[in-house]
Amino acid sequence: MIIGIGCDHAAFTEKELLITHLNDNNYTVVDFGCDSNDSVDYPDYAHLLSESLMSKKIEMGILICGSGIGISIAANKNKGIRAALCCTTFHAEMSRKHNDANIIAFGARVTDIKSMYRMTDIFLNTKFEGGRHLMRVNKIEK
């Protein structure tokens, strides 16, 4: 599976650690930046990753900023994106099972890296249930 990952300056370290975790688990990773702790604008990275996801160059995405809020809002402005800001393993599981989320978002300042590893693993290994949930997911975009 090809996973895209992007972040802002507040989450550069966590992005690098997640890339290592993903590589260690045999995922192909596309790094959309940022490339340092120097200040950047999170929407730029959310849009880059989202565009790649919608053009099917990657299969799933991970986005991280300080709180996870801004980067997930920016990603969700892109047609076909369902970015879920997750704080627990339950969120990660249900975002896939019931909402067919295609991006998981984290807040580097509020979520520790071990929790990000666990949530990422659950997110990437949980399938969308479809059924009654598909009808609801189809109603998300106007």
Side-chain angles (χ1 to χ4, degrees), residues 1-3 19-29:
M1 182 182 295
I2 303 172
I3 310 300
I19 288 172
T20 299
H21 176 76
L22 291 165
N23 286 331
D24 289 349
N25 285 282
N26 299 311
Y27 290 101
T28 300
V29 181

Side-chain angles (χ1 to χ4, degrees), residues 3 5 17 25 27-29 37 51 62-63 78 82 87 90 93 98 101 105 110 114 118 126 131 141:
I3 310 300
I5 190 166
L17 291 169
N25 285 282
Y27 290 101
T28 300
V29 181
N37 292 314
E51 290 164 7
I62 302 168
L63 290 171
N78 293 275
R82 290 176 303 283
C87 301
F90 180 75
E93 179 183 8
H98 288 189
V110 295
K114 288 182 181 179
R118 285 191 299 275
T126 300
E141 288 183 10

